[in-house]
Amino acid sequence: MTAEDFLSGQILLVDKPLNWTSFQVVNKLRWEIRQAFNIKKIKVGHAGTLDPLATGLLVICTGKKTKEINTYQGQIKEYTGTFVLGSTTPSFDLETEINETYPTDHISKDLVHKTTTEFIGDIQQFPPVFSAIKKDGKRLYEFARAGETVEITSRTVRILEFEITKIEGLHLDFRVVCSKGTYIRSLANDFGKALNSGAHLSALKRTKIGDFSIENAMSIERFINSLKN
């Protein structure tokens, strides 16, 4: 591809690595494109944030395609990952340490599969306190890390598909198809409560955004190498 291709607008499907922020991926790609073609300025953005502890599909738009970001952000998404039963964390995932443990002896495989049906359709969900949502000009995680309590309002999200694909001890592998704005960490926490226990998210991968699939995504390294060819 040429400099003009990127300036006119490209859609890049990237497999975000673990521990990278979505912002870091955008910055890295922007820098590499600028260096490869000696471009002073180019717009690059992503269509939907992934947490640092999540991996998978990021839709990256360049140049004039950045105007279409809102379109892609609103599309249906698919995730796979793992819940751990019997314990919770303040962030609902592994960003923070386990703060409470719960009984799990009463949880059967049948109960696990039956409970997933409670979450199909439109549901009310509270975003995690450790999230980037803004309240009073600050992001929620800023309040949380400062030890400040803040009132969070619930939001309506839609779960189109939710299945447990594997049960191994207290670890549940899942697949979820959901609307924009759904927090899988919150789903993990709520699922634990619905089982009269607790749960947190230990792994998450985004596999689809609309018609875009992780199967067609490239690693950051592969993208950089493609610029050199």
Side-chain angles (χ1 to χ4, degrees), residues 2-171:
T2 66
E4 185 54 40
D5 289 330
F6 286 108
L7 290 166
S8 296
Q10 294 294 313
I11 297 172
L12 309 172
L13 306 184
V14 175
D15 188 352
K16 187 190 86 64
L18 190 66
N19 295 323
W20 282 58
T21 67
S22 301
F23 188 64
Q24 284 173 324
V25 175
V26 167
N27 272 352
K28 178 66 173 173
L29 267 58
R30 183 191 295 115
W31 190 87
E32 294 289 348
I33 293 167
R34 286 178 58 207
Q35 292 299 306
F37 301 106
N38 196 25
I39 303 171
K40 284 190 177 181
K41 192 174 182 181
I42 183 170
K43 288 184 177 180
V44 181
H46 66 76
T49 304
L50 276 176
D51 290 333
L53 293 179
T55 63
L57 183 61
L58 268 182
V59 174
I60 307 284
C61 298
T62 77
K64 293 177 182 177
K65 283 287 184 183
T66 55
K67 294 176 181 177
E68 299 175 14
I69 281 176
N70 286 343
T71 302
Y72 303 127
Q73 280 180 330
Q75 294 183 350
I76 298 299
K77 299 173 177 68
E78 179 188 78
Y79 297 89
T80 60
T82 305
F83 298 154
V84 180
L85 297 178
S87 55
T88 56
T89 73
S91 60
F92 302 166
D93 65 2
L94 297 180
E95 183 184 340
T96 53
E97 298 290 324
I98 289 170
N99 63 342
E100 288 189 62
T101 56
Y102 301 83
T104 57
D105 289 346
H106 65 286
I107 301 175
S108 64
K109 289 185 178 182
D110 283 346
L111 180 61
V112 166
H113 289 297
K114 183 181 176 184
T115 303
T116 61
T117 61
E118 297 177 22
F119 292 88
I120 302 296
D122 290 349
I123 63 169
Q124 291 298 306
Q125 188 182 76
F126 286 91
V129 290
F130 283 81
S131 66
I133 292 172
K134 281 191 174 180
K135 183 179 176 67
D136 301 331
K138 286 174 67 176
R139 300 201 181 273
L140 290 184
Y141 64 73
E142 294 180 85
F143 291 104
R145 287 169 184 163
E148 301 173 31
T149 55
V150 60
E151 187 176 339
I152 303 172
T153 54
S154 66
R155 53 171 64 183
T156 302
V157 298
R158 178 169 292 181
I159 307 294
L160 290 89
E161 298 177 43
F162 179 24
E163 62 174 336
I164 302 301
T165 55
K166 183 180 177 184
I167 300 176
E168 196 166 297
L170 297 178
H171 292 75

